[in-house]
């Protein structure tokens, strides 16, 4: 650039350049303009103005150190100079620096303006005491009545601190209000869930005839977050379209978020499809909801549609993709996404890098997880926790070494760190970890306490685990109580389970399930259904585990009517009838209650079967005398690729015993080791001996007993001797009958 003409003309050109640069600031343009300002020297007519503009440009770009250098190098300053640097510090969260500059400003004899105090009050990190002092200064200087800017900033300050009464007082006392003031108050009510107040204020705003902005709608839409708010949300949506704001991406994103919260994924997806404008945030809102609901397949489908829509993914998108790949356990897809992340220079980003660590850890590729961890430029506790959890889930002792390393480099572990390390800790490590937990003050943390109890129980120190009941005076918090109750249940101390959980003031669904299961195991069947009735009365909705306990009682009582009623209730309460766990129990219940048609109907209607499903049906068929059909189902199971386990083979052998299929039973027994790799256990031998002696094959039965790899128990001998006795009686009766003839 060449300069001709007088000195003032050059400065006017520079002012024009600064003005045009402020519309779209960039560091690339700001630095040359700064250099020109220094080269030309101060303008005699406006010695401060140019430098104030340079400070503003640097501050808007977040270049605080550069802005401060310009400020410190100024020979003369005015109120605008101080306001620019104070606002910059406040905007970036450096409240202490902002307040220090504010004191310097006052010491230099400058009176604060509405922009000085408004800038300070707008800082998110301003504490309440400091805000109250600034409010006093606002009142003293008469700025509250003079300008709407300070009042709006003060309203926002109280809103951020949840002081809604004070915010309302400020709003009502303001002599003048602009659209930003109204929007700020509406947004404050919305953020704190006061939907009715939010709507009341919005109606008042509409009545003022002030033209609405996109922020007017965004503030109220963000307040709608439950199914009850859906109708209201649809009305606001109509108003958005009427006012032409459906072309504003900020409003579209708020609407998508509202429909996700109030109506679910499908309506939100339709809104996204119909929206005339979309960005990465629009897509991320729905994709994030799908990932949260563990609907990873649908999430990946939407991500592909996002790419087809030519919307460029951001860090959040990549985090969702990686989480979906981890959830679906598809390492190849995750690795290709990792390549895209490297291509976009995001591997060092803490959020994306942590997601990659978690992905590789879940795919049991700890070496790759460690490499991704080392590439993160600014690690945080979450990054460390992701790596520690990966090692802990793979039962690696490296988890505790990572904790030690984490402490050495200056990171403070949190409750999740300790919980992850406790997952794989051995006995001698557990005691050391417990000491560290106490030292760092986490011993009363519910999450850490629960993990400690589980770790003690897993290491065989059940008495130490149960000691927490006496150490922490019952009733304790819900989660540790549930864990201890679970230990009591497994130890057969059902009365202790009921005693412990009865002390909880607000038991959750897990507490109810544990106590119902305890009563079922203890044979208190009447109490099981009394508890179930009480559970529903207090609005705790039963889940699959609840119904499994209730169905097991129906099975033990052989009460078909009761079991059928429960099945009807499962369907009525919209518990997923295709849930494999519940369907397996239903097949077993109907089979043991003699309704084999119902068992087969449930089996045929299932979309997701496992070995247990097949075993339940084979057992039901055998128990009801359909031995041939049971064996046919067993062969069908094998044909479909399900490998029988020891229980499935036992169910088939039992069917042979009930149906008298000696040859088939012998063949199946001989194939156990050869075809399925299963070593016969005592139950298999007992079933085979019973089958053989029941049909007169005493010598074969005796041979089987003699060749057992372990000593036969009393049940096998009793079965054999009873068979011999029956055979002897039958022979005597036949001989006597022959003699009589």
């Amino acid at each position: 650039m060449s300069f001709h003409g007088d000195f003032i003309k050059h400065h006017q050109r520079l002012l024009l350049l600064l003005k045009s640069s402020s519309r779209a600031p960039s560091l690339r343009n700001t630095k040359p303009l700064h250099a020109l300002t220094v080269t030309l020297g101060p303008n005699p007519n406006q010695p401060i103005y140019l430098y104030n503009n340079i400070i503003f440009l640097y501050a808007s770009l977040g270049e605080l150190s550069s802005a401060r250098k310009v400020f410190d190098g100024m020979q003369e300053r005015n109120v605008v100079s101080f306001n620019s640097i104070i606002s910059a510090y406040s905007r970036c969260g450096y409240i202490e620096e902002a307040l220090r500059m504010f004191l310097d400003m006052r010491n230099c004899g400058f009176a604060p303006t509405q922009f000085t105090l408004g800038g300070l009050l707008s800082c998110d990190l301003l504490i309440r005491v400091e805000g109250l002092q600034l409010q006093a200064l606002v009142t003293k200087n008469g700025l509250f009545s003079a300008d709407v800017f300070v009042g709006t900033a003060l309203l926002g300050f109280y809103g951020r601190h949840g002081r809604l009464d004070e915010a309302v007082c400020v709003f009502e006392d303001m002599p003048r209000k602009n659209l930003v003031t109204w929007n700020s108050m509406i947004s404050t009510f919305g953020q704190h869930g006061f939907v009715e107040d939010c709507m009341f204020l919005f109606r008042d705003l509409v009545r003022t005839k002030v033209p609405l902005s996109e922020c007017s709608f965004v503030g109220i839409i963000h307040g709608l977050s439950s199914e009850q708010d859906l109708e209201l949300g649809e009305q606001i949506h109509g108003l958005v379209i009427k006012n032409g704001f459906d072309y504003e991406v900020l409003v579209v994103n708020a609407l998508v978020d509202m429909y996700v919260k109030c109506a679910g994924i499908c309506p939100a997806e339709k809104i996204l499809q119909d929206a005339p404008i979309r960005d990465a945030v629009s897509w991320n809102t729905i994709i994030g909801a799908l990932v949260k609901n563990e609907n990873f397949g649908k999430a990946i489908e939407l991500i592909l549609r996002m790419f087809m829509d030519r919307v460029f993914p951001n860090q959040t998108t990549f985090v969702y993709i990686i989480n979906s790949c981890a959830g679906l356990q598809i390492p190849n897809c995750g690795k290709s996404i990792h390549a895209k992340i490297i291509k976009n220079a995001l591997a060092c980003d803490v959020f994306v890098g942590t997601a990659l660590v978690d992905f590789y850890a879940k795919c049991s590729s700890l070496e790759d997880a460690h490499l991704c961890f080392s590439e993160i430029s600014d690690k945080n506790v979450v990054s460390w926790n992701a790596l520690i959890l990966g090692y802990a889930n793979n039962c690696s002792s490296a988890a505790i070494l990572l904790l030690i390393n984490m402490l050495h480099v200056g990171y403070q572990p949190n409750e999740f760190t300790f919980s992850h390390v406790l997952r794989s800790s051995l006995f001698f490590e557990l005691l050391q970890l417990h000491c560290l937990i106490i030292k760092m003050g986490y011993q009363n943390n519910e999450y850490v306490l629960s993990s400690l109890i589980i770790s003690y129980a897993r290491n065989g120190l059940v008495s130490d685990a149960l000691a927490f009941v006496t150490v922490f005076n019952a009733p304790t918090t819900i989660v540790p109580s549930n864990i201890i109750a679970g230990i009591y249940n497994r130890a057969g101390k059902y009365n202790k389970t009921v005693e412990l959980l009865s002390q909880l003031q607000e038991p959750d669904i897990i507490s109810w399930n544990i106590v119902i299961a305890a009563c079922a195991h203890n044979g208190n069947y009447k109490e099981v259904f009394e508890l179930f009735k009480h559970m529903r009365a207090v609005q705790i909705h039963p889940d699959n585990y609840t119904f499994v306990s209730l169905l097991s009682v129906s099975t033990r009582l052989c009460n078909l009517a009761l079991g059928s009623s429960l099945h009807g209730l499962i369907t009525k309460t919209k518990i997923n009838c295709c849930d494999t766990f519940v369907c397996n129990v239903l097949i077993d219940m109907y089979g043991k209650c003699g309704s084999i048609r119902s068992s087969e109907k449930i089996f045929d209607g299932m979309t997701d079967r496992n070995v247990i499903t097949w075993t339940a049906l084979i057992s039901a068929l055998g128990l009801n005398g359909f031995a041939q059909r049971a064996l046919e189902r067993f062969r069908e199971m094998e044909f479909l690729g399900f490998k029988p386990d020891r229980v499935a083979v036992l169910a088939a052998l039992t069917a042979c015993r009930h149906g008298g299929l000696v040859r088939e039973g012998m063949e199946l027994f001989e194939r156990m080791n050869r075809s399925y790799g299963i070593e016969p256990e005592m139950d298999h031998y007992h079933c085979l001996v019973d089958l053989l002696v029941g049909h007169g094959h005493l010598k074969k039965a005796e041979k089987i007993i003699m060749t057992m790899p372990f000593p036969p128990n009393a049940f096998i001998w009793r079965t054999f001797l009873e068979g011999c006795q029956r055979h002897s009686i039958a022979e005597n009766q036949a001989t006597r009958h022959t003699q009589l003839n």
Side-chain angles (χ1 to χ4, degrees):
M1 182 178 181
S2 61
F3 289 89
H4 302 284
D6 56 24
F7 182 74
I8 299 298
K9 195 172 182 181
H10 292 322
H11 273 277
Q12 287 174 345
R13 286 179 178 175
L14 183 56
L15 283 170
L16 286 171
L17 287 169
L18 285 166
K19 190 175 181 181
S20 63
S21 183
S22 65
R23 291 172 193 152
S26 71
L27 198 59
R28 186 180 178 183
N29 293 334
T30 303
K31 284 187 174 182
L33 290 172
H34 183 192
L36 280 172
T37 306
V38 174
T39 304
L40 288 172
N43 185 339
N45 299 327
Q46 294 176 310
I48 305 172
Y49 183 76
L50 286 173
Y51 286 105
N52 285 350
N53 275 273
I54 296 294
I55 290 170
F56 172 78
L57 286 171
Y58 276 128
S60 62
L61 294 165
E63 293 286 329
L64 293 185
S65 58
S66 300
R68 183 62 187 264
K69 280 179 184 177
V70 175
F71 179 85
D72 290 340
M74 291 173 69
Q75 293 178 353
E76 291 183 61
R77 303 184 186 101
N78 60 12
V79 174
V80 178
S81 313
F82 278 100
N83 284 352
S84 296
I85 200 72
I86 287 168
S87 294
Y89 278 126
S90 297
R91 203 162 45 245
C92 294
Y94 295 101
I95 187 61
E96 290 181 6
E97 283 296 324
L99 290 171
R100 199 173 291 119
M101 292 303 300
F102 177 63
L103 289 173
D104 288 348
M105 174 185 178
R106 299 192 70 191
N107 290 335
C108 291
F110 294 108
T113 66
Q114 66 268 35
F115 300 108
T116 320
L117 295 166
L120 288 166
L121 286 165
S122 299
C123 182
D124 290 341
L125 297 178
L126 183 71
I127 62 172
R128 188 162 171 262
V129 174
E130 293 165 344
L132 291 171
Q133 291 171 344
L134 289 172
Q135 184 183 8
L137 201 59
V138 167
T139 308
K140 182 182 176 182
N141 287 280
L143 294 172
F144 184 75
S145 303
D147 192 89
V148 72
F149 181 73
V150 179
T152 303
L154 189 60
L155 191 155
F157 161 74
Y158 281 121
R160 285 193 307 275
H161 285 80
R163 312 292 295 189
L164 295 191
D165 290 338
E166 286 92 335
V168 170
C169 287
V170 170
F171 181 77
E172 289 176 346
D173 291 345
M174 287 177 71
R176 287 184 296 158
K177 304 177 183 76
N178 62 12
L179 184 60
V180 178
T181 313
W182 283 94
N183 289 349
S184 180
M185 195 68 232
I186 289 168
S187 180
T188 298
F189 277 131
Q191 285 170 3
H192 290 86
F194 293 94
V195 178
E196 289 184 13
D197 297 284
C198 200
M199 280 302 301
F200 181 79
L201 210 61
F202 184 76
R203 290 191 192 104
D204 283 354
L205 172 60
V206 172
R207 290 190 193 106
T208 62
K209 304 295 183 182
V210 174
L212 302 174
S213 71
E214 61 188 65
C215 293
S216 311
F217 288 103
V218 169
I220 190 168
I221 291 168
H222 278 319
L224 309 175
S225 59
S226 66
E227 196 175 336
Q228 290 81 0
D229 301 330
L230 180 59
E231 187 179 348
L232 202 57
E234 288 171 339
Q235 292 173 1
I236 297 293
H237 189 183
L239 204 56
V240 164
I241 296 168
K242 183 181 177 182
N243 285 269
F245 284 103
D246 53 329
Y247 282 84
E248 294 290 340
V249 72
L250 203 64
V251 179
V252 169
N253 293 344
L255 282 169
V256 170
D257 182 57
M258 183 271 291
Y259 278 107
V260 164
K261 291 174 184 172
C262 301
I265 304 293
C266 292
E269 192 179 346
K270 189 177 185 304
I271 294 298
L272 183 68
Q273 285 173 349
D274 296 341
I277 186 168
R278 297 181 284 264
D279 66 0
V281 177
S282 319
W283 288 97
N284 288 346
T285 302
I286 295 188
I287 293 164
L290 288 166
V291 172
K292 187 179 178 182
N293 292 333
E294 298 187 359
N295 193 347
F296 303 119
K298 182 70 175 176
I300 288 178
E301 182 188 321
L302 275 184
I303 289 163
L304 293 173
R305 279 168 52 192
M306 175 183 174
F307 290 156
M308 289 170 65
D309 204 33
R310 295 185 180 179
V311 176
F312 190 77
N314 57 17
Q315 286 101 317
T316 307
T317 319
F318 279 119
V319 168
Y320 290 150
I321 303 173
I322 290 297
N323 288 343
S324 298
C325 292
L328 293 171
Q329 291 286 295
I330 42 176
N332 289 336
C333 179
K335 285 174 182 177
S336 65
I337 297 298
H338 189 181
K340 287 184 182 292
I341 288 167
I342 293 168
K343 187 179 178 181
N344 287 282
L346 290 173
C348 58
D349 179 83
V350 66
F351 300 108
V352 179
T354 302
L356 283 168
V357 170
D358 179 63
F359 161 71
Y360 281 115
K362 284 178 179 172
C363 292
S364 301
S365 184
L366 295 177
E367 190 176 336
D368 290 323
H370 221 123
L371 284 171
C372 292
F373 177 78
S374 62
E375 286 179 10
I376 299 172
S377 55
D378 188 16
K379 299 175 182 67
N380 59 18
V381 177
V382 181
S383 317
W384 283 94
N385 287 352
L387 188 62
I388 287 169
L389 180 60
Y391 279 100
N393 282 340
N394 285 275
C395 298
S396 172
S397 58
I400 198 162
L401 296 175
L402 282 170
L403 173 63
I404 294 165
N405 191 19
M406 178 183 179
L407 289 164
H408 282 165
V409 293
Y411 288 92
Q412 288 294 309
N414 60 15
E415 63 268 33
F416 302 107
T417 318
F418 286 119
S419 179
H420 296 342
V421 176
L422 285 165
R423 281 171 178 255
S424 61
S425 58
L426 302 174
F427 169 68
F428 66 92
E429 295 168 336
L430 175 58
L431 298 177
Q432 293 173 337
L433 278 170
H434 197 166
C435 292
L436 183 61
I437 286 164
I438 293 168
K439 184 180 177 182
M440 299 194 75
Y442 281 98
Q443 70 274 17
N444 292 324
N445 181 281
E446 184 176 343
Y447 198 59
V448 178
L449 180 59
S450 303
S451 300
L452 266 173
I453 294 167
I454 292 169
S455 192
Y456 272 111
R458 196 191 66 249
N459 279 284
L461 305 170
V462 177
S463 57
D464 293 282
L466 297 177
F468 282 93
V469 179
T470 53
V471 172
F472 300 95
N473 294 324
T476 183
T477 47
I478 292 174
V479 177
S481 294
N482 288 346
I483 292 165
I484 291 170
I487 295 169
Y488 278 138
N489 251 9
R490 286 191 293 275
K493 299 179 180 179
Y494 305 119
N495 292 331
K496 285 278 188 183
T497 301
V498 176
E499 183 186 335
L500 176 65
L501 294 181
S502 63
Q503 297 177 47
L504 290 176
Q505 293 180 351
E506 293 183 4
D508 61 5
I509 181 63
I510 298 170
S511 312
W512 283 100
N513 285 345
I514 291 170
V515 80
I516 286 171
C519 291
H521 287 307
N522 209 23
N524 300 327
Y525 303 139
K526 186 179 179 182
E527 195 172 342
V528 165
F529 288 96
E530 287 294 327
L531 283 166
F532 179 61
K533 191 188 296 182
H534 186 58
M535 172 185 173
R536 297 185 73 198
V538 296
Q539 299 298 308
I540 300 287
H541 300 292
D543 62 9
N544 290 354
Y545 294 97
T546 319
F547 283 113
V548 164
S549 293
L550 297 172
L551 287 167
S552 68
V553 172
S554 306
T555 305
R556 287 172 198 163
L557 293 172
C558 267
N559 192 327
L560 180 60
L562 181 60
S564 299
S565 300
L566 287 168
H567 188 187
L569 188 60
I570 290 168
T571 307
K572 185 181 176 182
T573 52
K574 297 180 181 178
I575 294 286
N576 187 3
C577 287
C578 291
D579 179 86
T580 308
F581 185 43
V582 175
C583 286
N584 291 347
V585 178
L586 280 168
I587 291 168
D588 182 62
M589 183 274 295
Y590 278 120
K592 287 176 178 172
C593 291
S595 181
I596 194 62
R597 282 188 180 180
S598 299
S599 288
E600 289 190 301
K601 186 179 178 183
I602 291 167
F603 179 87
D604 292 336
M606 289 175 69
T607 55
D608 185 20
R609 302 180 187 122
N610 56 22
V611 176
I612 299 169
T613 315
W614 287 93
T615 304
L617 182 65
I618 291 162
S619 180
L621 287 165
L623 191 64
N624 286 274
F626 300 99
Q628 286 293 353
R629 277 166 62 187
L631 288 179
E632 283 169 14
R633 289 290 192 175
F634 185 83
R635 294 186 195 104
E636 186 184 348
M637 176 182 77
E638 284 187 276
F639 178 76
L640 291 172
F642 291 93
K643 187 179 179 182
D645 59 9
R646 54 171 296 278
V647 183
V649 174
L650 182 61
L653 276 172
T654 305
C656 292
R657 185 184 68 184
H658 288 308
L661 305 176
V662 177
R663 181 176 56 81
E664 290 86 347
M666 283 296 295
E667 286 176 1
L668 182 61
F669 186 83
E670 287 166 3
R671 287 177 58 201
M672 277 185 69
N673 198 317
R674 186 178 69 249
S675 301
Y676 313 130
I678 301 168
E679 288 290 341
E681 297 178 6
M682 192 70 77
D683 289 341
H684 301 100
Y685 279 105
H686 179 259
C687 191
L688 184 63
V689 168
D690 195 14
L691 170 63
L692 291 170
V693 299
H695 294 83
H697 300 279
L698 298 178
K699 291 204 177 288
K700 282 186 180 179
E702 187 178 4
K703 186 180 178 183
I704 291 290
I705 293 171
M706 292 299 110
T707 57
M708 283 174 63
F710 39 77
N713 62 13
F715 288 110
I716 287 180
W717 282 120
R718 188 171 68 185
T719 301
F720 178 69
L721 292 172
E722 283 176 352
C724 290
Q725 189 178 14
R726 284 197 303 271
H727 186 68
S728 175
I729 291 167
E731 278 188 344
N732 290 338
Q733 285 177 344
T735 304
R736 194 176 303 129
H737 183 69
T738 305
Q739 288 173 350
L740 286 170
N741 287 336

